[in-house]
Amino acid sequence: EEEEEEKKRGGAGGAEVTLPDGRTLNDRELFLEALRVNPLCAAAYLQLGNQLAEGETAKLPDGRALSGRALFLEAIRLDPSAAAAYDCLGLELADGESVTLQDGRTVSSRELFLEAIALDPRSPLFYHSLGCQLQPGEQVRLKDGRTLGKRELFLETLQLNPEDPDAYCSLGLELTEGETVQLRDGRTLAQHELFVEAIQRDPSFAAAYVHLALRLPTGRTVTLRIPAASQSGANGAANSNSSKDCASFKDSSKNSNSNSNS
């Protein structure tokens, strides 16, 4: 699924802070300032990379103009244990594409996600990234010896973070009409119930509404119980979900067509 490509990026122009010298800097400018103070700060390269839109570059204090991919590579070079940098770099790659790390290894997005999981096996995001990269019915062997498919990777994501709306939505897309799945917490949910879970955790997740509408059993209605705090924050979060929604709309169309042909 393409929705992982959004990478939860945030642009410049959000919160600002005024420094003692009178300069007012936004988040992106603060990451650049961190690199001016310490050009070897791996975390600053990683976070700056997460600020960039597709095709955008950032001009560093040393004069280099680096893309998101180059910034993630720099973060890995400076800190080979930075699990999130491998995940973000993997999300930069297209299907079938590979990248050469500074240690000489040429790796695919799948290998980057596997490396991220090996470095930080308690991070739910990395399992979700890997699950979205696999084809239906495909399995992958983790470095801890476990062999998991897409569905198992999304279940692992939800075990580590039961509040992840993307994981509920992705798991829902793996089910067929009338099928249920048992979560690691013991709950058994149908396909449409997984989309309801996603919406209740992120009321601004427009694609989840689309998937729910396309897969809601005929004659069935659902009641959404959205906390007031979540509802009030929905408008503010809507823009951050726009890329995810567009990717999911494409996927929903694909799934809808496949269902109609069966």
Side-chain angles (χ1 to χ4, degrees), residues 10 13 54 65 67 79 138 143 147 166 203 205 224 245 261:
E54 185 177 357
S67 65
D79 182 5
E138 191 177 8
K143 294 190 176 184
T147 299
D166 290 312
F205 194 171
L224 299 178
D245 290 345
N261 292 332

Side-chain angles (χ1 to χ4, degrees), residues 17-54:
V17 62
T18 300
L19 302 184
D21 61 9
R23 289 180 296 158
T24 299
L25 304 181
N26 61 33
D27 46 4
R28 182 179 301 188
E29 292 165 334
L30 286 167
F31 297 135
L32 289 168
E33 182 68 9
L35 290 174
R36 186 188 68 80
V37 173
N38 179 10
L40 302 181
C41 180
Y45 287 101
L46 172 60
Q47 296 303 328
L48 183 58
N50 276 325
Q51 289 284 317
L52 301 187
E54 185 177 357

